[in-house]
Amino acid sequence: MERSISIPAQVTRQHAIEDKYHTLYEGASDHYRYALRSSAQEVLLQVHLPNTRILFVKLLYLRDSLASCDWVHAGDDRFVLKVNSAIGAFHIRVSLTLNDLLHIQYKVDYRPSAALCGVDTPREVLILHEKGLAIPPKGQVYVQQKQLRSGTCFTDFGKDTPGTLFYFQNLTALNSYAEDTKISLGDSVQVAWPELGFKASNPSALPLQKGKKYGFREGYLIFNPARPENAWEASLQYLSALENVYQRITRPRPTVRPLQRYAIKVLKELDGHHGCWQQVGPHAYLNAYMNDYHNPVESMVQLAVLTPLLLYSHTYPARACQRICTELLQGFPAFFDEKLGCFVRWIPKKAHHFDYTWPVFYDVDTLEAEKKETEPGAGGEKDVGGMYAFLMLRAYKLSKKEIYLSEAKRAAKKLRDYGFDLIYQSNNTAYAAEALLELWTLTKEDIYLQLSELCLGNLIRNTGLWERRYGNSKTYPTFFALFPLPDAPYSAVFEEQECVASFHRFMRMAYDGRAPLSREITVFLPEYIKYASARLPYYFPPLLPEDTLATEVKTGYLHKKAWIPVEDLGDGWEAIGAVGQEVYGAGCLFSLLHFHFLELDSSNHTCFISYPFVIRKRTTRSVTIQVLGSADYFCMLRLCGTKGKPYTLRLADGQHIPLRQTGNPAEPAGDQQLVISWT
């Protein structure tokens, strides 16, 4: 029995069977042949793949027999067409690269001829078998968009057919469409085999404006003839295709924010705002959320702020910082459980019982699982085995006892059981990646490096590589947002803060250990760090318009003037901060200052660096650093607190650039040695 397909796909298939399309252009290479074709209903690209499959890419779906199609340019596997129809004018650009891998890029712009409602189109990619244009067996779908993440799909063609297909829809291009029709672009890129592509998840009755230019599609397709043999290879194929598209899309330019000034405001808030604290016995503890007195204090909350504050205090020894650290350190011993023999947030003795496969919730006394899986068939907290390995490696480093190293190895190798998807919570997965890289540096066993890169691939897939410029989300940057859980509808400050710190440590460890990381990992981790350092300040309400903030919150109370971050930045049509103000996320700016600021000739004279870096040499008149990442992308450097004093940046090629505290930051490429000098 043939699998059912949508009515538009049925029309496309039937027209192809009956040869009702007019061929506008044809081309071929050693491995591929294609044709640009049209009918009264469609303009489409038909591509024959070397694995007996045919792609039908519907560039335009009109149902207008009077529409006219005019060439603007044709040739060299690049085409530009203009289509005039009863509902307006469409501008279509298509380009193909026909090498071993097939690359297709297309963009469709639209100007309505009148205010128009109900403009919606089907998913634009249809996969058919070349024999009789039959509906092919279903492939394994590795990735499709989840809520606000990148608009990607990644699928193979079934177990007996080679090749994979990667699809990316640049949702940034569709912001005007979303803004005017009040639709969300979340969950809009999906696979309904054999169809895939963009389709608004909540079609709107609101009109597009007459004469306004709208981005209608900006799609990228990459066919790889190789079939991945395992989860690591599949992840690298996905990341390779994603990085290829990442080079092509227009990416926003991050803005360097005054993080030092913001951090002082946060420190003052933590020191003086009663809503951050509650008293338990003789000690004061931080609340998880502002004015949250219904939940007991947690050790994690105290450490989430204490750890970055201690790092911050080494460079910025403010009295308020010392007071907070002292209070938290004095109260922390109360979290020690005498019966368990450990602090209650960490319970390492439970690992053997669960065979390194943790449920979501369990009774700490009986070890009975109260919630085994996040959802039926999805498993429990998959990445906790990696976090447990991280803890065991800390114990091994302190004690040098082999039992802890053996425990770390056993827990790490258990992650192989999860295959392609092993993320439960982003910061846990980041710690797992660190632990696995550390195991590789100790053993040089490839399995650990591959599992480490698989963890990082999970994290990159859990980001949104687009800028949400509609509704409330147009008031703050969103590009490369990282989500806390694989199904979370919003990005969250604490998990992002933790991942930024973890990625810094990871890149430095890889550099020190000369780990042969995949190119895509060396690209995406520093790029995420660069964008996150510009985005994280916007979790703080004073940087957001008041009318975008929630009037009712789930936990505590939202103080709109307080320098305590909101937990949630979600879809543009949702109020900001509906979960509450996250006190345990308040350490994010202190963490950024620790990792991103380089001391120059005094502790007051610093340089912000948006990429991870390693200090190589320091003299009385200069500091030499190795900027990590890829030479194909740039980082940003800006002086802070130097008050006009001249500094010079020398690049690896010998070029000298004056550094400034104002104006545009310097933008050297990554992966090079830099020298900052002064007189």
Side-chain angles (χ1 to χ4, degrees):
M1 180 179 178
E2 282 198 334
R3 185 175 291 106
S4 63
I5 57 177
S6 68
I7 291 176
Q10 293 177 35
V11 171
T12 298
R13 179 174 178 245
Q14 193 61 37
H15 283 187
I17 290 172
E18 297 173 2
D19 197 21
K20 288 188 175 181
Y21 289 107
H22 171 64
T23 299
L24 302 174
Y25 191 93
E26 291 182 307
S29 69
D30 292 342
H31 306 293
Y32 307 95
R33 57 188 176 92
Y34 69 88
L36 195 63
R37 312 185 76 185
S38 68
S39 70
Q41 284 79 24
E42 299 168 287
V43 177
L44 61 79
L45 181 68
Q46 181 176 325
V47 184
H48 293 254
L49 304 178
N51 65 351
T52 72
R53 301 296 186 263
I54 303 176
L55 296 182
F56 291 88
V57 184
K58 289 171 275 190
L59 304 169
L60 196 56
Y61 184 74
L62 273 179
R63 293 170 291 184
D64 182 357
S65 60
L66 300 178
S68 64
C69 182
D70 300 314
W71 287 108
V72 178
H73 171 80
D76 302 321
D77 302 322
R78 298 175 184 273
F79 314 96
V80 181
L81 301 94
K82 186 175 181 181
V83 177
N84 289 304
S85 74
I87 63 172
F90 295 86
H91 197 256
I92 303 172
R93 283 166 282 180
V94 186
S95 65
L96 297 92
T97 304
L98 308 171
N99 296 320
D100 291 338
L101 274 63
L102 168 68
H103 297 258
I104 302 172
Q105 179 177 343
Y106 52 95
K107 186 173 183 179
V108 182
D109 296 325
Y110 170 49
R111 290 186 187 273
S113 57
L116 190 65
C117 299
V119 178
D120 189 29
T121 57
R123 306 198 191 283
E124 68 266 36
V125 180
L126 173 64
I127 303 168
L128 296 177
H129 198 292
E130 67 178 14
K131 185 176 181 180
L133 297 180
I135 298 173
K138 185 177 181 180
Q140 178 180 349
V141 179
Y142 292 95
V143 178
Q144 57 185 338
Q145 186 193 16
K146 184 69 173 178
Q147 296 180 342
L148 299 173
R149 288 147 191 81
S150 300
T152 59
C153 297
F154 183 53
T155 182
D156 66 21
F157 294 86
K159 63 180 181 179
D160 297 322
T161 305
T164 59
L165 186 66
F166 173 88
Y167 171 96
F168 183 95
Q169 180 63 227
N170 185 11
L171 298 174
T172 303
L174 279 61
N175 274 314
S176 292
Y177 173 68
E179 174 76 4
D180 288 354
T181 59
K182 300 292 188 293
I183 66 165
S184 169
L185 297 179
D187 287 321
S188 60
V189 176
Q190 301 287 307
V191 180
W193 190 268
E195 301 171 70
L196 59 90
F198 172 85
K199 181 178 175 61
S201 58
N202 55 339
S204 171
L206 296 176
L208 299 176
Q209 298 179 28
K210 176 182 178 181
K212 182 176 178 179
K213 182 180 177 180
Y214 292 94
F216 212 55
R217 294 289 185 277
E218 186 179 320
Y220 301 80
L221 282 164
I222 298 177
F223 170 77
N224 188 328
R227 179 183 173 86
E229 296 295 326
N230 52 50
W232 174 65
E233 288 187 9
S235 181
L236 287 188
Q237 267 202 27
Y238 174 89
L239 292 179
S240 177
L242 184 66
E243 199 264 327
N244 183 283
V245 172
Y246 189 78
Q247 295 179 45
R248 298 166 184 252
I249 62 174
T250 300
R251 304 184 298 276
R253 188 164 293 272
T255 301
V256 179
R257 306 305 304 174
L259 299 178
Q260 292 166 315
R261 179 156 52 88
Y262 293 165
I264 293 172
K265 294 176 181 291
V266 177
L267 190 62
K268 181 179 179 181
E269 208 77 66
L270 286 171
D271 188 44
H273 201 301
H274 295 298
C276 297
W277 299 86
Q278 65 171 291
Q279 192 78 17
V280 180
H283 299 292
Y285 296 91
L286 290 172
N287 289 321
Y289 296 89
M290 289 277 280
N291 292 92
D292 173 21
Y293 302 106
H294 298 290
N295 295 301
V297 296
E298 296 181 59
S299 59
M300 181 278 289
V301 171
Q302 319 310 307
L303 292 176
V305 177
L306 176 62
T307 301
L309 265 183
L310 288 172
L311 295 173
Y312 173 81
S313 67
H314 294 320
T315 307
Y316 307 93
R319 291 182 179 178
C321 185
Q322 294 173 359
R323 281 195 298 270
I324 297 169
C325 291
T326 299
E327 188 71 58
L328 295 177
L329 287 168
Q330 288 177 345
F332 198 77
F335 290 103
F336 190 80
D337 189 308
E338 295 288 348
K339 186 172 86 171
L340 296 174
C342 63
F343 290 97
V344 292
R345 183 65 182 178
W346 304 106
I347 310 176
K349 62 180 70 176
K350 309 304 180 188
H352 294 162
H353 178 83
F354 296 118
D355 192 22
Y356 308 100
T357 306
W358 272 259
V360 179
F361 297 116
Y362 63 87
D363 187 293
V364 296
D365 293 316
T366 66
L367 302 187
E368 182 179 349
E370 297 180 0
K371 182 179 181 182
K372 292 184 178 180
E373 300 181 298
T374 54
E375 57 185 62
E381 297 194 11
K382 300 176 181 179
D383 46 19
V384 173
M387 202 171 184
Y388 175 77
F390 184 91
L391 178 62
M392 291 296 100
L393 287 170
R394 304 284 72 71
Y396 172 68
K397 188 174 182 179
L398 289 169
S399 69
K400 304 303 180 187
K401 293 181 179 179
E402 288 293 324
I403 186 174
Y404 295 118
L405 179 59
S406 297
E407 276 289 283
K409 291 178 180 178
R410 281 194 287 268
K413 288 182 178 178
K414 195 71 177 179
L415 294 173
R416 289 180 296 187
D417 296 350
Y418 293 119
F420 191 72
D421 294 307
L422 53 74
I423 186 174
Y424 169 72
Q425 186 167 307
S426 291
N427 52 329
N428 291 357
T429 311
Y431 280 115
E434 280 190 77
L436 290 158
L437 177 61
E438 188 173 352
L439 282 170
W440 177 86
T441 64
L442 293 170
T443 67
K444 295 300 186 289
E445 293 182 34
D446 289 343
I447 183 61
Y448 296 121
L449 188 60
Q450 292 176 5
L451 285 171
S452 180
E453 293 191 329
L454 181 58
C455 286
L456 296 172
N458 274 258
L459 289 169
I460 293 164
R461 296 200 307 273
N462 200 37
T463 65
L465 289 176
W466 60 292
E467 187 85 316
R468 299 194 304 274
R469 305 295 296 172
Y470 60 84
N472 291 332
S473 57
K474 65 176 176 286
T475 63
Y476 56 90
T478 59
F479 188 80
F480 223 145
L482 175 65
F483 296 84
L485 302 170
D487 60 351
Y490 55 78
S491 60
V493 62
F494 174 68
E495 286 79 5
E496 289 219 72
Q497 163 202 333
E498 289 258 284
C499 287
V500 169
S502 180
F503 291 172
H504 273 283
R505 295 190 297 265
F506 183 95
M507 292 298 296
R508 291 175 179 178
M509 191 194 317
Y511 174 79
D512 291 339
R514 299 184 178 182
L517 295 179
S518 303
R519 166 185 159 77
E520 294 76 20
I521 298 299
T522 64
V523 166
F524 281 125
L525 295 198
E527 281 290 287
Y528 169 75
I529 288 170
K530 177 173 73 178
Y531 281 101
S533 67
R535 282 191 300 98
L536 292 185
Y538 287 90
Y539 280 97
F540 290 84
L543 296 182
L544 299 167
E546 282 199 25
D547 61 358
T548 65
L549 298 171
T551 55
E552 296 183 8
V553 298
K554 178 181 177 182
T555 308
Y557 179 80
L558 202 162
H559 297 261
K560 298 180 180 180
K561 300 296 185 181
W563 279 85
I564 299 296
V566 296
E567 172 168 324
D568 49 307
L569 294 177
D571 192 73
W573 306 120
E574 302 290 338
I576 298 170
V579 177
Q581 275 176 288
E582 190 182 90
V583 177
Y584 62 94
C588 73
L589 296 184
F590 309 122
S591 183
L592 289 179
L593 287 172
H594 171 71
F595 286 108
H596 285 273
F597 281 77
L598 173 67
E599 184 178 319
L600 301 176
D601 51 326
S602 78
S603 60
N604 294 324
H605 296 176
T606 59
C607 182
F608 168 82
I609 304 171
S610 66
Y611 262 22
F613 62 91
V614 175
I615 299 176
R616 299 290 303 277
K617 181 181 178 181
R618 184 181 287 277
T619 71
T620 56
R621 293 179 179 269
S622 69
V623 59
T624 302
I625 63 172
Q626 176 69 33
V627 173
L628 308 180
S630 167
D632 293 329
Y633 298 87
F634 71 90
C635 64
M636 300 182 297
L637 277 71
R638 169 170 284 171
L639 297 178
C640 300
T642 54
K643 298 180 180 179
K645 181 175 180 177
Y647 293 80
T648 301
L649 174 67
R650 188 175 79 231
L651 307 183
D653 62 5
Q655 182 183 358
H656 288 73
I657 299 174
L659 281 176
R660 299 183 177 88
Q661 184 169 325
T662 59
N664 293 327
E667 296 182 347
D671 191 25
Q672 67 170 312
Q673 183 171 285
L674 304 176
V675 180
I676 302 174
S677 59
W678 53 87
T679 56

